[in-house]
Amino acid sequence: MNMRMVRRTSVFAALLIAGIATALPVSTFADEGTVLAIGPRPVDPEVSGEEHAILTQAPNVPPPITRKHATKVIVEMEVIEKTMRLADGVEYVFWTFGGQVPGEFIRIREGDQVEFHLNNHQDNKMPHNIDLHAVTGPGGGAASSFTAPGHSSVFSFKALNPGLYIYHCATAPVGMHVANGMYGLILVEPKAGLPPVDHEYYVMQGEFYTTGGYGEEGLQGFDMNKATDERPPYVVFNGSVGSLVGDKALTAKVGETVRLYVGNGGPNLSSSFHVIGEIFDTVYPEGGSEASHNVQTTVIPAGGASIVEFKTEVAGTYVLVDHALFRAFNKGALGMLRVDGTNNALVYSGKEVDAVYLGKAAGGGETERRVTALKAEVAQEIKNNPKIANLTKEIQIQKGKAVYMQTCFVCHQPAGEGVPNQIPPLAKSDFLTLNGRDDIIRGVIAGRTGPIVVNGKPYNGTMVPMSYLTDEQIANVLTYVCNTWGNSAEPFTVNEVARIRQESPAPAASSSFE
Amino acid sequence: MRKSLQLVCLTALLLGAIRANAATHEAIPEGMARIPSGIYRPLFRSVTDPAEVRVNEFCLDTLLVTKGDFLEFVRTNPRWQRSQVKRIFADENYLRDWAGDLELGTNANPNQPVVFVSWFAAKAFAQWKGKRLPTTAEWELVAAASSTRADGENDPAFQQDILRWYSTPAAKELPVVGKSAANLWGIHDLHGLVWEWVADFNSAAVTGDVRNDTGLERQLFCGAGSVGAKDVRNFPAFMRYGFRSSLKANYCVHNLGFRCAKDL
């Protein structure tokens, strides 16, 4: 009651400001703003029963829907603004649907009636709402779910169209809400369901516009100029650099089928989604219903999604990238799928990840065979403990070469010769011997910037941090670099690298606004 | 009630007409600063709304209303105490961070800004003080000033500074008022401490695109949020408009306080 009163009052005032206190019907304005109660909805004859949606955090996906009828699905989602890791040593205040970026995965069935509860956590600074692209209706639910901190809103919609859809916050300034991580995926399964697969995963790309450059430590603010210029320091999968790397890599076994639900929150960039070493057997472009087959790279627009499926054939690590490659190598758009080939190890032993990359990048057929041969020699030793610490220096060098050819050669050049006046050489480099091992490791993890002298020549550039590499990869690549092109050193160990990574300074304390 | 509300808004918005006879050399009340007249250009407006709104000179509290100030108010106005207030005037979060009707709590500092107050409560406080809430036009005009210039919206560094607040986590404990540097007009804490109620907080909704007559707040959403906006780069202003539009007059929010204005 009071609301209607206030609305009308302010409408009255606004009309006075505008100087148009004419015959405009006040009720046109007042009614919309007073909608509060959830009145009785018309009964949908197709819908029976009721259930609460299972929501999952990436990279997990809720289980397939087995029921054969439409039902009422209650979705409870909480908006939380919180500080989290964006990269090693880098923090950011994310605005999230459900506490993580991307937001929780919602899975419903075509024809379902969804009752959506959006709860805006009481400690949040901002009002928020949700626009689900799966909704048919003005704003996709945005107006109906606009919620102040410490309040909640409820609205309902019927899932008319099957497909994979984005949802995102649509509160002004919408670009900033999305740039802070407010996006996720909702899958509307077709009535007939989707073909069963062995693994389903949830991957979502997004950019972050930090005030500092890539890898600059401490709590980073949102940079409006970089956002409007579309120059993000970070392009990442699942909300942070390294979210799908190492222990957090996606997994499958040889011969299994994998389905990836891939979204792109943007806010600005389209993704050229690619899995290095895989061909997508099936793609549902833009999350629609038409299947396309035998696809290498699929474009995912900002505010769009794609379903990709493939069967794993060969053991190894498959790297998920945005094939706009500087985003992958320099901005964090890298993820990994580790395919284990337990019983078929012999059959596939020559084709594990490093060899595959070499084959693509540097004609590494010979290297591939050599790794296999060396592996066979030490197979007995490594059988029970495949940690790199127990491998021979030579295998480390070969593996390190693979890392080098994937990560380092773009700048330092294939033979370590560098680029005159720009990129210092690694070949016969006095820098590597004059500086301690710890400093060399630190340079890879934390990057390097400012003037240095290498072999008597000055350089003043920036090496971006390669902290997304695993300890093992860094140990291998340094062993390779320091034992090639006239360099010589003891092998670098995983323990050495882990120790240096540990000691890298903690994120700077957050500075409060004065 | 409705009539008196209209009256307040009329008073606030038609200042120019009403104060034609006002004395020009009236003393400025303690704790307030004189704001010279100026031109406010609304962020959102319809084709029929004026591009510029003239704001006459007025006085504004240099500091936010504190918990200590508000305690004094509820002590002399028991119907605004936490256990007495009517739900239609303040939701269940009203003064939630207080320990009781007349106790701030052991960890509270009376110099912290009062929060968890509704628009009705803020307005009642202002009336009790013989003041009123500032209008959106007045508040935005004052808040546009950086410490050195009146048109801070054209100073990218000032804008980025304001945005920094949104990029930092909410403080566990609210800072006390008056610790940040005053702006050009001598006003503290307009940005970076709490949001602030204004008299016509919900009027942005009707200054949008009138062709789009469904959804009062909808023009603030998504790409449509920039339709009719005078400066699409003024992100802090978008956020303030967005925040105000999400409110109802009985809402009480953890980071929403107020300060008072007065006619000269």
Side-chain angles (χ1 to χ4, degrees):
Chain A
M1 227 9 241
N2 56 311
M3 288 317 306
R4 176 175 299 262
M5 181 176 69
V6 172
R7 286 279 177 206
R8 285 197 172 155
T9 305
S10 62
V11 165
F12 187 19
L15 291 177
L16 284 170
I17 295 178
I20 50 163
T22 52
L24 272 178
V26 168
S27 60
T28 323
F29 298 101
D31 286 349
E32 186 67 23
T34 58
V35 177
L36 281 176
I38 307 157
R41 278 175 225 120
V43 176
D44 184 340
E46 196 192 359
V47 169
S48 64
E50 179 179 308
E51 65 185 41
H52 283 261
I54 301 168
L55 306 179
T56 58
Q57 309 271 22
N60 300 310
V61 176
I65 291 168
T66 51
R67 62 185 151 76
K68 299 295 178 202
H69 62 90
T71 195
K72 177 180 166 185
V73 181
I74 298 167
V75 177
E76 289 265 2
M77 194 170 273
E78 183 175 42
V79 177
I80 308 168
E81 300 166 5
K82 63 192 284 200
T83 308
M84 291 188 290
R85 174 190 172 279
L86 176 57
D88 286 341
V90 182
E91 293 198 305
Y92 190 79
V93 176
F94 294 86
W95 298 351
T96 73
F97 286 107
Q100 295 288 321
V101 177
E104 292 165 310
F105 196 105
I106 309 167
R107 187 169 198 154
I108 55 173
R109 182 182 176 274
E110 181 184 359
D112 281 351
Q113 186 79 35
V114 179
E115 182 181 287
F116 202 103
H117 297 245
L118 188 74
N119 307 314
N120 193 358
H121 193 277
Q122 62 201 28
D123 292 340
N124 290 346
K125 284 180 178 170
M126 306 295 299
H128 298 285
N129 63 7
I130 191 166
D131 169 356
L132 298 119
H133 291 184
V135 170
T136 306
S144 316
S145 62
F146 193 38
T147 310
H151 288 79
S152 62
S153 301
V154 183
F155 69 101
S156 287
F157 67 94
K158 186 171 174 66
L160 298 178
N161 303 67
L164 181 63
Y165 299 95
I166 292 273
Y167 64 79
H168 64 88
C169 183
T171 301
V174 59
M176 183 174 171
H177 282 255
V178 172
N180 284 345
M182 299 198 76
Y183 42 76
L185 290 180
I186 175 169
L187 173 66
V188 183
E189 277 197 37
K191 284 178 177 165
L194 290 166
V197 290
D198 295 309
H199 298 280
E200 291 187 316
Y201 290 115
Y202 173 18
V203 177
M204 201 151 180
Q205 181 171 325
E207 314 109 56
F208 289 91
Y209 297 89
T210 51
T211 44
Y214 182 91
E216 196 171 312
E217 294 191 337
L219 181 66
Q220 296 294 321
F222 167 77
D223 189 311
M224 193 182 69
N225 290 325
K226 286 178 188 168
T228 48
D229 291 349
E230 306 187 10
R231 285 186 291 111
Y234 292 90
V235 181
V236 300
F237 293 128
N238 289 357
S240 65
V241 176
S243 66
L244 293 172
V245 166
D247 294 344
K248 290 174 276 183
L250 308 177
T251 56
K253 292 192 172 66
V254 168
E256 289 184 325
T257 47
V258 177
R259 176 181 292 137
L260 303 179
Y261 297 103
V262 191
N264 182 11
N268 290 323
L269 307 179
S270 291
S271 174
S272 305
F273 186 71
H274 178 76
V275 177
I276 300 176
E278 262 301 343
I279 295 163
F280 305 137
D281 299 327
T282 303
V283 173
Y284 297 90
E286 300 178 26
S289 304
E290 282 300 313
S292 185
H293 299 287
N294 304 321
V295 175
Q296 55 186 317
T297 300
T298 189
V299 172
I300 308 177
S306 188
I307 303 172
V308 307
E309 298 172 354
F310 52 89
K311 184 180 177 193
T312 60
E313 306 285 355
V314 180
T317 302
Y318 294 81
V319 179
L320 286 57
V321 295
D322 180 339
H323 214 290
L325 286 174
F326 280 87
R327 299 177 193 166
F329 292 132
N330 301 90
K331 298 185 171 190
L334 273 177
M336 291 182 178
L337 169 68
R338 203 174 55 241
V339 177
D340 292 324
T342 47
N343 292 329
N344 294 327
L346 245 157
V347 177
Y348 295 109
S349 62
K351 297 195 172 185
E352 78 166 53
V353 58
D354 312 315
V356 172
Y357 295 149
L358 281 172
K360 285 169 174 286
E366 193 188 335
T367 312
E368 200 176 287
R369 281 192 292 279
R370 185 150 171 69
V371 169
T372 309
L374 285 163
K375 273 190 143 180
E377 282 176 35
V378 295
Q380 214 50 46
E381 284 100 316
I382 66 170
K383 194 168 65 181
N384 297 324
N385 185 3
K387 289 285 180 210
I388 190 64
N390 292 340
L391 293 183
T392 65
K393 178 176 175 182
E394 205 157 347
I395 284 187
Q396 255 192 293
I397 290 173
Q398 293 301 334
K399 289 197 160 213
K401 183 177 182 186
V403 177
Y404 185 85
M405 288 306 175
Q406 189 198 326
T407 306
C408 319
F409 85 99
V410 179
C411 295
H412 288 291
Q413 302 300 303
E417 68 267 35
V419 177
N421 304 320
Q422 293 177 41
I423 310 289
L426 298 171
K428 293 197 188 68
S429 164
D430 62 357
F431 192 81
L432 295 175
T433 49
L434 291 174
N435 291 276
R437 298 166 67 88
D438 288 1
D439 183 69
I440 295 171
I441 297 170
R442 206 171 286 120
V444 175
I445 295 174
R448 206 179 277 284
T449 186
I452 58 170
V453 175
V454 180
N455 295 346
K457 296 206 173 70
Y459 295 87
N460 191 357
T462 295
M463 174 164 145
V464 296
M466 301 294 171
S467 54
Y468 61 82
L469 295 175
T470 64
D471 294 348
E472 182 180 329
Q473 287 172 314
I474 292 174
N476 288 346
V477 75
L478 287 175
T479 303
Y480 169 69
V481 166
C482 292
N483 287 284
T484 315
W485 314 310
N487 301 323
S488 174
E490 284 296 301
F492 286 74
T493 68
V494 171
N495 289 342
E496 269 182 295
V497 178
R499 178 171 53 80
I500 300 297
R501 202 192 285 270
Q502 282 291 321
E503 79 179 27
S504 43
S510 57
S511 58
S512 64
F513 186 94
E514 290 293 323
Chain B
M1 191 62 196
R2 180 175 160 188
K3 272 187 179 160
S4 73
L5 275 172
Q6 287 184 351
L7 198 62
V8 168
C9 286
L10 276 170
T11 313
L13 294 161
L14 300 178
L15 264 181
I18 292 168
R19 60 174 293 285
N21 299 325
T24 46
H25 298 293
E26 204 172 312
I28 294 159
E30 195 190 334
M32 300 190 96
R34 190 185 74 90
I35 310 297
S37 63
I39 300 296
Y40 168 62
R41 294 174 184 82
L43 183 68
F44 285 101
R45 61 188 188 88
S46 75
V47 286
T48 52
D49 288 338
E52 298 182 342
V53 176
R54 182 180 160 77
V55 176
N56 290 300
E57 70 174 350
F58 69 106
C59 286
L60 187 66
D61 285 352
T62 58
L63 300 176
L64 284 154
V65 172
T66 65
K67 289 180 177 174
D69 298 334
F70 208 79
L71 180 62
E72 196 187 335
F73 167 64
V74 298
R75 192 171 273 139
T76 48
N77 297 275
R79 70 192 182 94
W80 286 105
Q81 289 171 10
R82 199 169 69 176
S83 64
Q84 304 298 313
V85 74
K86 291 196 167 50
R87 265 304 151 258
I88 60 162
F89 294 131
D91 70 16
E92 52 270 34
N93 284 333
Y94 181 64
L95 300 180
R96 201 186 67 183
D97 56 335
W98 289 26
D101 274 353
L102 297 170
E103 295 119 57
L104 299 180
T106 47
N107 292 327
N109 182 327
N111 291 324
Q112 289 170 326
V114 67
V115 289
F116 288 116
V117 284
S118 67
W119 178 85
F120 292 108
K123 193 172 78 72
F125 176 97
Q127 272 175 343
W128 173 69
K129 283 276 188 189
K131 300 177 183 177
R132 58 178 175 80
L133 292 177
T135 63
T136 301
E138 289 170 340
W139 196 96
E140 288 285 335
L141 188 71
V142 173
S146 69
S147 59
T148 53
R149 53 196 279 187
D151 63 339
E153 75 265 30
N154 295 322
D155 179 351
F158 178 59
Q159 294 293 321
Q160 187 65 46
D161 237 24
I162 297 172
L163 279 177
R164 199 144 52 89
W165 182 51
Y166 311 113
S167 303
T168 50
K172 288 258 183 307
E173 280 177 24
L174 273 177
V176 297
V177 303
K179 288 297 176 194
S180 69
N183 78 356
L184 185 66
W185 312 122
I187 310 294
H188 295 264
D189 303 322
L190 288 156
H191 307 285
L193 189 46
V194 292
W195 304 99
E196 296 183 32
W197 282 111
V198 289
D200 54 344
F201 70 95
N202 53 0
S203 70
V206 294
T207 60
D209 188 347
V210 292
R211 291 163 299 184
N212 179 8
D213 64 356
T214 64
L216 288 176
E217 293 111 337
R218 213 184 61 191
Q219 65 275 14
L220 290 172
F221 301 141
C222 214
S226 62
V227 174
K230 73 160 166 124
D231 179 2
V232 294
R233 289 181 59 84
N234 194 341
F235 277 27
F238 273 110
M239 284 188 279
R240 289 195 295 271
Y241 273 78
F243 190 87
R244 288 176 199 135
S245 296
S246 77
L247 299 171
K248 312 279 183 211
N250 68 337
Y251 276 19
C252 301
V253 182
H254 72 103
N255 55 7
L256 176 59
F258 69 101
R259 72 180 77 224
C260 302
K262 192 174 169 54
D263 301 337
L264 263 173

